[in-house]
Amino acid sequence: LEKDSSRFSQYHSRLRDHPLAQGMGLGAFLIMPVQRTPRYVLLLQDLLKHTEDTHLDYQKLVDSLTEMKNVANFINTAIDEEENRQKVLEMQTRFGINIVQAHRKYVLHGTLNKQCRKDIKDRAFFLFSDKLFYGIDVGPLAKIIISGSYDISHVEVESLADDPTNDEKVNIIQIRAPAKSFNVYCATPAEKTQWLAALNTTIASAIANKSTWVSSGAEPVERAVAWEDDGDSDLCRLCQEKFTFLNRRHHCRSCGMVVCGDCSSNKMVVKAVNSKRPVRVCDRCYELATNTSVAGGTTGE
């Protein structure tokens, strides 16, 4: 308000200069009721410390302290929830889509290196109590281009060992979800620990909340495999033929291996990727599925 109105700014300045204000502005007075509550808790704790348990007022002090702690917890929770709502609203201005939901809470966001098909690229990740979003952040004033979003209760994460042959592939977290799975690389071990803790806690909480209203007979979640990086091999994993401009790389949607076109000419339904449309698979997975009726799906042209 002070920024928008010079008249209010001048008025506020005069109020601060008043002897009764003791140099405090309107904001300081507005926060006073909230600050009083923890002071009452400290006062009651001090009184109890110096009161005999046989005193007539001892039990009343105990009850008063319990009630005051409940009030303090209620106020702190309300403040945290309002700050969280404001955080989600602030993020929505950059998302370009509606992400505000009554139940949705912000958890963590940051830039991680995501393993894409041909390269490792910076991607902005946003973790909420019910969703994981990631996308391209082109600048602080620009909209974030959302590349993917997942129901967090369907996500599974795993800490992977560093790749000793590649300095970029360290502090690895594998994120597995229906339709798509991939690896991300954190800048430091501390960042990896922070993201793993946040993801695991949020996933466990979301699953626990969902289990209260989802029937026990619900089908288990099928998650896609993470694709092998194109650069991990110059040869087809099955026939060992060298990849060239004409002999291109393909990924098996069932196991994630890099294979050539000749070794991945078949298609079948892989439930974790698409429950209806057949997708490209390698010969090995196709043979396993047709010979043993693997649970990934039925075959098709």
Side-chain angles (χ1 to χ4, degrees):
L1 192 56
E2 281 189 290
K3 293 178 181 178
D4 298 333
S5 172
S6 59
R7 290 182 61 189
F8 179 81
S9 180
Q10 293 170 8
Y11 174 69
H12 195 201
S13 180
R14 289 199 302 273
L15 285 181
R16 278 197 299 265
D17 293 338
H18 194 283
L20 292 177
Q22 299 179 347
M24 294 191 298
L26 181 61
F29 282 103
L30 289 173
I31 199 67
M32 273 187 175
V34 177
Q35 293 175 331
R36 290 283 182 189
T37 305
R39 291 176 184 173
Y40 289 143
V41 172
L42 293 173
L43 173 63
L44 288 168
Q45 286 175 334
D46 198 44
L47 280 172
L48 271 174
K49 191 185 296 182
H50 296 88
T51 302
E52 296 289 338
D53 58 6
T54 55
H55 194 279
L56 182 64
D57 293 328
Y58 183 82
Q59 188 56 47
K60 293 179 180 179
L61 286 172
V62 171
D63 294 342
S64 297
L65 177 59
T66 301
E67 286 301 316
M68 196 53 63
K69 283 183 175 179
N70 290 338
V71 171
N73 289 334
F74 176 81
I75 291 173
N76 289 334
T77 300
I79 291 173
D80 290 343
E81 288 179 350
E82 179 57 27
E83 289 178 347
N84 202 288
R85 277 192 292 271
Q86 292 302 317
K87 187 75 173 178
V88 176
L89 282 169
E90 175 188 324
M91 288 182 170
Q92 177 163 292
T93 61
R94 298 200 56 213
F95 268 55
I97 59 174
N98 182 25
I99 64 167
V100 176
Q101 302 288 336
H103 62 278
R104 181 167 294 160
K105 295 182 180 179
Y106 162 78
V107 179
L108 183 66
H109 81 278
T111 300
L112 301 174
N113 294 322
K114 177 182 174 292
Q115 179 66 64
C116 299
R117 178 169 180 171
K118 294 184 178 180
D119 204 356
I120 298 172
K121 298 179 180 179
D122 288 348
R123 290 292 182 263
F125 281 79
F126 301 85
L127 177 61
F128 295 91
S129 55
D130 65 325
K131 285 278 188 179
L132 176 66
F133 294 89
Y134 76 90
I136 303 170
D137 188 352
V138 294
L141 300 178
K143 297 287 186 185
I144 294 167
I145 303 170
I146 301 299
S147 304
S149 66
Y150 305 101
D151 183 334
I152 196 65
S153 65
H154 294 165
V155 173
E156 188 176 73
V157 296
E158 182 182 358
S159 173
L160 300 183
D162 294 351
D163 184 345
T165 65
N166 192 325
D167 292 340
E168 287 185 295
K169 296 182 178 182
V170 295
N171 307 314
I172 310 170
I173 300 174
Q174 186 168 97
I175 297 174
R176 295 191 288 269
K180 191 171 187 178
S181 299
F182 49 85
N183 294 342
V184 294
Y185 311 106
C186 302
T188 64
E191 185 179 53
K192 177 181 178 179
T193 300
Q194 180 187 27
W195 271 99
L196 273 175
L199 284 162
N200 281 318
T201 300
T202 306
I203 290 167
S205 178
I207 291 173
N209 290 336
K210 184 168 280 191
S211 67
T212 61
W213 54 270
V214 174
S215 66
S216 58
E219 289 188 18
V221 176
E222 302 247 7
R223 300 176 180 88
V225 297
W227 284 9
E228 185 178 15
D229 180 12
D230 277 6
D232 284 350
S233 178
D234 292 329
L235 306 176
C236 171
R237 293 297 192 188
L238 294 183
C239 69
Q240 300 302 305
E241 284 292 322
K242 186 177 179 62
F243 293 120
T244 64
F245 180 76
L246 296 178
N247 188 32
R248 296 173 53 212
R249 290 175 173 83
H250 297 277
H251 284 88
C252 173
R253 271 56 171 179
S254 181
C255 69
M257 280 198 314
V258 177
V259 290
C260 67
D262 288 342
C263 292
S264 58
S265 59
N266 293 301
K267 291 184 177 182
M268 68 181 189
V269 170
V270 178
K271 193 174 180 181
V273 178
N274 192 307
S275 61
K276 297 179 179 179
R277 183 173 63 86
V279 293
R280 181 189 291 270
V281 294
C282 68
D283 290 352
R284 180 186 295 171
C285 290
Y286 184 79
E287 290 172 5
L288 285 171
T290 53
N291 291 337
T292 60
S293 188
V294 170
T298 57
T299 63
E301 293 303 322

